[in-house]
Amino acid sequence: CGVSRRCFLFVSRSIKEKARLRLRQFDVGDRFSRLPLPKAAVLLPLVVRQGELHLLLTVRSMQLRRSPGEVCFPGGKSEAVDKDEIDTALREAKEEVGLQPEKVEVICRLVPGIDKMNHLVTPVVGFIEDTFHATPNPDEVSDVFVVPLEYFVKPLNYKTLPYKTPSGYSGRLHCFTYDDQEHKMSFKIWGLTAHFAVFLALVIFGKRPTFEVDYDLDNLISSSETNFQNLYASLYERKKSNL
């Protein structure tokens, strides 16, 4: 059916429908929301381009005190006005890249992570339209770009760094370099951002990546929750020993 818009919409709908079904199996809802850690949330915005799922990412402004110039998802700390993590992620995405909350079809919340500042960071997954045009807030964001989601299971440029948290939890840090043709730039995607992107790709595609991961891929749901519980427990042990 050529490149007609109708054909595109049909392909886009079926890609989204498959992804939705997979993602809903992994929705943790507010199961981790009551943990006694400061809260933050990020939006993982999925968009269909050229018949493929892509993930929208931002580059933090060089003026920011924390992690200037690093690649991340739209997001930030929870505020009193936010009902839940979904509210936090949508509010931050609007502030950072001009994405209107009503233009996001929220699908689920995935297993959270814990950042360097010991915030409980919840990834909120949502679809955005391929027509969305970002207007970055220069105080917070210097660039916005998209990466094919499949890059996070079949990268061209990847390395892994072993890491150990101060509390003794060890794991792998994924580090991707993505050459963006549109911007004629290379972006380094690593840390918690890469962790969430890899997990999202594993959930949606259900196939083995070309690199090692810290999950039992046959039991992705339970192993991702176990990993998080171990990370949280190691943090809690450290807090106790600091008292």
Side-chain angles (χ1 to χ4, degrees), residues 57-140:
L57 292 142
T58 67
V59 180
R60 290 171 64 83
S61 160
M62 291 309 282
Q63 305 163 26
L64 291 171
R65 270 206 322 271
R66 213 162 53 78
S67 310
E70 287 197 4
V71 170
C72 63
F73 291 111
K77 288 191 285 218
S78 297
E79 291 181 5
V81 293
D82 303 330
K83 283 202 305 290
D84 56 17
E85 298 94 346
I86 294 171
D87 262 15
T88 303
L90 294 178
R91 176 182 53 72
E92 288 281 347
K94 183 183 177 185
E95 288 171 16
E96 290 177 14
V97 296
L99 178 59
Q100 298 301 322
E102 64 277 9
K103 296 284 188 195
V104 183
E105 182 204 344
V106 174
I107 308 297
C108 67
R109 284 172 270 190
L110 297 175
V111 173
I114 297 172
D115 71 6
K116 301 191 275 273
M117 319 285 288
N118 288 343
H119 287 95
L120 181 76
V121 185
T122 299
V124 175
V125 185
F127 283 113
I128 60 173
E129 289 302 322
D130 68 310
T131 49
F132 169 65
H133 194 73
T135 49
N137 170 353
D139 294 336
E140 298 192 44

Side-chain angles (χ1 to χ4, degrees), residues 92 123 133 177 188 197 209 218 236:
E92 288 281 347
H133 194 73
T177 303
K188 184 178 161 191
D218 299 319
Y236 192 70

Side-chain angles (χ1 to χ4, degrees), residues 197-210:
V198 167
F199 186 64
L200 181 65
L202 292 175
V203 167
I204 288 179
F205 296 125
K207 61 183 178 194
R208 293 190 175 271
T210 56

Side-chain angles (χ1 to χ4, degrees), residues 176-196:
F176 298 86
T177 303
Y178 178 68
D179 294 323
D180 184 4
Q181 300 308 313
E182 195 184 333
H183 288 72
K184 304 279 182 282
M185 274 168 84
S186 282
F187 294 105
K188 184 178 161 191
I189 306 160
W190 68 292
L192 197 55
T193 301
H195 168 82
F196 287 150

Side-chain angles (χ1 to χ4, degrees), residues 30-37 39 85 120:
D30 62 0
R31 201 148 25 106
F32 297 98
S33 305
R34 283 175 278 290
L35 292 176
L37 290 174
K39 307 286 183 287
E85 298 94 346
L120 181 76

